[in-house]
Amino acid sequence: MVDALVLKDVRKSYGQREAVHGVSLTVREGEVFGLIGHNGAGKTTMLRMISTILTITSGTIEVYGKDVAKEPDEVRQLISYLPEDAGAYKDMTGRRYLTFIANFFRSGKERDAMVQKGIDIADLGDRIDSRIDTYSKGMMRRLLIARAIMTSPKLAILDEVTSGLDVINAYEIREIIRQIADSGVTIIMSSHNMFEVDMVCDRVGMVDQGNLIDVGTPDELKRKYGKSTLEEVFVTAVKGA
């Protein structure tokens, strides 16, 4: 099986403060891999380094064999990154926004096919032709996921993708993520929602204070720590770290 993502002893420092401490991690092709931890644990910093947005202080990151530091342009062709605070141009309709983004990647019939793929992923019905400033938070998130996936990335990086959503919208977003994964896209997602990660992710990495403290499938981790939920596993692992 191909390794989609490999981190080796990755560190990130801001002056004298080290935010990520020597993280090593492998994500396999086709996986949904979850990074869990409280706010400020270092999850977003790790995702931004993978996405080439932040430089690595030391260590290496490879995406499908491409070095993030040495081959950033090649890496950007393989990935799509959706930050937690992503937004869209609210005076556009959903369709116009997807077309605007697609114009950066394709033209003509290929662009039109990309836009249609985005419309299908968003699944907003007639509301795709409504102004984005009339969308609910759940509708906006569906549109943004569609924007991230319609470009056919090999690795999709999703940061706190259901943050602030109600139960129904969060459930629908999780269903979209699983469908995307089933289509062959590797996904790495961060969340502090342990239930969500348990439901969606094939494997999980637990992050605390910039350290990766354990990795495994949700069931493996629950067996290892003798707990029935990932939340209990995380608390136990952090206290023992």
Side-chain angles (χ1 to χ4, degrees):
M1 184 177 292
V2 176
D3 291 334
L5 175 67
V6 179
L7 284 70
K8 293 181 180 178
D9 196 25
V10 173
R11 298 176 184 272
K12 178 62 181 177
S13 297
Y14 298 96
Q16 298 299 311
R17 184 177 70 87
E18 191 171 65
V20 175
H21 312 293
V23 169
S24 295
L25 171 68
T26 299
V27 176
R28 302 160 189 151
E29 185 174 43
E31 275 193 311
V32 180
F33 188 94
L35 288 174
I36 61 175
H38 54 76
N39 291 333
K43 305 185 304 296
T44 295
T45 299
M46 291 169 60
L47 297 186
R48 287 177 177 171
M49 286 191 288
I50 296 166
S51 306
T52 76
I53 294 170
L54 289 178
T55 58
I56 306 164
T57 301
S58 65
T60 61
I61 299 176
E62 291 186 354
V63 176
Y64 284 94
K66 302 295 183 181
D67 189 289
V68 166
K70 297 176 181 177
E71 305 168 279
D73 290 339
E74 289 85 346
V75 169
R76 292 181 195 119
Q77 292 176 19
L78 299 171
I79 67 172
S80 185
Y81 174 50
L82 182 62
E84 179 182 3
D85 57 357
Y89 297 108
K90 295 187 176 181
D91 60 339
M92 291 184 175
T93 66
R95 185 189 302 273
R96 185 181 171 198
Y97 174 69
L98 294 178
T99 303
F100 171 76
I101 297 298
N103 276 324
F104 290 102
F105 296 90
R106 298 287 188 273
S107 61
K109 291 182 179 179
E110 289 185 345
R111 177 203 59 206
D112 296 343
M114 181 179 287
V115 172
Q116 187 57 53
K117 180 179 179 180
I119 290 170
D120 292 342
I121 293 169
D123 194 22
L124 292 171
D126 292 342
R127 294 302 303 278
I128 195 68
D129 291 309
S130 299
R131 282 171 54 110
I132 292 171
D133 60 7
T134 68
Y135 284 8
S136 67
K137 190 168 185 179
M139 293 170 66
M140 172 73 85
R141 201 62 57 88
R142 294 171 79 103
L143 182 71
L144 292 172
I145 290 174
R147 181 207 76 189
I149 301 302
M150 72 180 186
T151 59
S152 299
K154 296 188 72 172
L155 173 66
I157 303 163
L158 309 177
D159 192 4
E160 299 287 358
V161 70
T162 63
S163 177
L165 298 184
D166 61 32
V167 173
I168 292 175
N169 280 313
Y171 172 84
E172 291 175 346
I173 295 299
R174 288 196 294 270
E175 288 294 295
I176 291 172
I177 291 171
R178 281 288 3 159
Q179 290 168 14
I180 292 166
D182 289 343
S183 73
V185 179
T186 304
I187 295 173
I188 181 168
M189 58 179 284
S190 75
S191 182
H192 57 264
N193 184 330
M194 310 293 173
F195 170 78
E196 172 177 281
V197 171
D198 199 349
M199 294 291 292
V200 174
C201 295
D202 300 306
R203 285 194 306 140
V204 178
M206 296 188 290
V207 181
D208 181 53
Q209 298 183 3
N211 296 294
L212 184 67
I213 55 178
D214 213 339
V215 177
T217 69
D219 287 343
E220 285 171 349
L221 292 171
K222 284 183 277 189
R223 285 197 301 269
K224 178 177 179 179
Y225 291 89
K227 302 297 181 181
S228 59
T229 68
L230 272 185
E231 184 175 63
E232 293 173 309
V233 167
F234 181 75
V235 171
T236 303
V238 167
K239 287 182 177 180

